[in-house]
Amino acid sequence: MDLTKRLIPLLNQLERNDLVFQIVLPKTLKKEDVFCSFEIKPSVKLFDFGSLDFAKAIRQSEYAIISGGITRYECIAAKTFFIAISIHHAQYELTALTTKYGFGCNFGVSNELKLRDLKQYIETLSLNPELPNPATQAVYLKKGAALRTFKTVIEVINKNESKISDYN
C-alpha cells in the first residue's frame, strides 16, 4: 500500500494538535481522491504534486516526513529535521549516513513500518527540534581534516619538486 495512504489516517489519529502536517501528494494521487477516502483533520493540509513551493515549505517546517532521496539533503540544507521512511533497504542505508550525525531519524523501511511506533514517535516530538551545526558534523570537516589535507598536498609537492625542476 502507498505510504501516503498509510500516513494520512495515522496523522488524523494523533492526539496532539500543535503540529500542522503539509502533505505533498504523489503524482498518482489527487487531493479530491484523498478527501473522498479519508476524514482529514484541520492540522493535516494536502497539496497536489507541484502545487506547493516545496523548497519554501521545507524551510518553514520544523519537521518533514520523507521517503529519502534528494529530499533528505534538502532538509539538511533547510535545517529541517526529517523522519525518513525508506522505500527500500538501499535507501535506508544511505539515510543512515546522514542520520548518524543527528540531522533526522531513520525510521525504517516502509514495508516493515510499524505505524504504532511512528505514531508514538510523532506524539513525543518537541516543537523546536535541535539540529547539529552541519559544519561541525560533516565528516570531511572534522577536526584536523583541513590540516591533514594541507600537509598531504605539501608532501606531494615536495616529493615531486625535483621532477618539476627537471622540466624547467
Side-chain angles (χ1 to χ4, degrees):
M1 183 186 226
D2 181 283
L3 181 60
T4 304
K5 289 179 182 176
R6 292 174 65 200
L7 282 177
I8 291 172
L10 177 137
L11 297 175
N12 281 318
Q13 294 170 11
L14 292 174
E15 292 180 23
R16 65 187 298 176
N17 294 313
D18 55 345
L19 294 175
V20 175
F21 298 92
Q22 297 183 55
I23 300 173
V24 179
L25 299 170
K27 290 179 184 179
T28 57
L29 191 60
K30 295 292 177 207
K31 200 165 40 172
E32 304 82 47
D33 300 331
V34 174
F35 281 121
C36 291
S37 303
F38 303 104
E39 183 179 327
I40 307 296
K41 281 175 61 170
S43 61
V44 177
K45 311 288 184 203
L46 301 176
F47 297 90
D48 286 324
F49 186 86
S51 69
L52 178 72
D53 182 341
F54 192 67
K56 183 178 179 182
I58 287 178
R59 282 192 312 273
Q60 293 176 342
S61 298
E62 298 296 330
Y63 295 97
I65 300 174
I66 64 170
S67 61
I70 298 298
T71 308
R72 81 173 73 86
Y73 306 113
E74 291 175 304
C75 288
I76 292 169
K79 297 180 182 162
T80 299
F81 188 90
F82 64 83
I83 302 164
I85 302 166
S86 300
I87 296 170
H88 47 72
H89 284 280
Q91 194 172 60
Y92 177 85
E93 295 300 323
L94 286 172
T95 300
L97 296 173
T98 57
T99 56
K100 71 179 182 181
Y101 294 104
F103 295 111
C105 174
N106 200 3
F107 212 81
V109 179
S110 64
N111 65 346
E112 300 166 358
L113 180 64
K114 293 177 179 63
L115 291 177
R116 183 185 71 242
D117 295 342
L118 179 60
K119 183 181 175 195
Q120 285 178 327
Y121 184 79
I122 293 171
E123 291 282 9
T124 63
L125 292 174
S126 71
L127 286 178
N128 299 306
E130 289 188 32
L131 285 174
N133 178 353
T136 61
Q137 294 296 319
V139 174
Y140 56 87
L141 291 177
K142 287 207 172 188
K143 187 176 180 181
L147 181 59
R148 284 192 301 277
T149 303
F150 174 76
K151 287 180 178 180
T152 301
V153 170
I154 296 302
E155 285 176 23
V156 170
I157 289 171
N158 288 338
K159 284 181 184 175
N160 293 309
E161 193 171 67
S162 61
K163 293 177 186 175
I164 294 170
S165 63
D166 290 344
Y167 289 108
N168 291 334

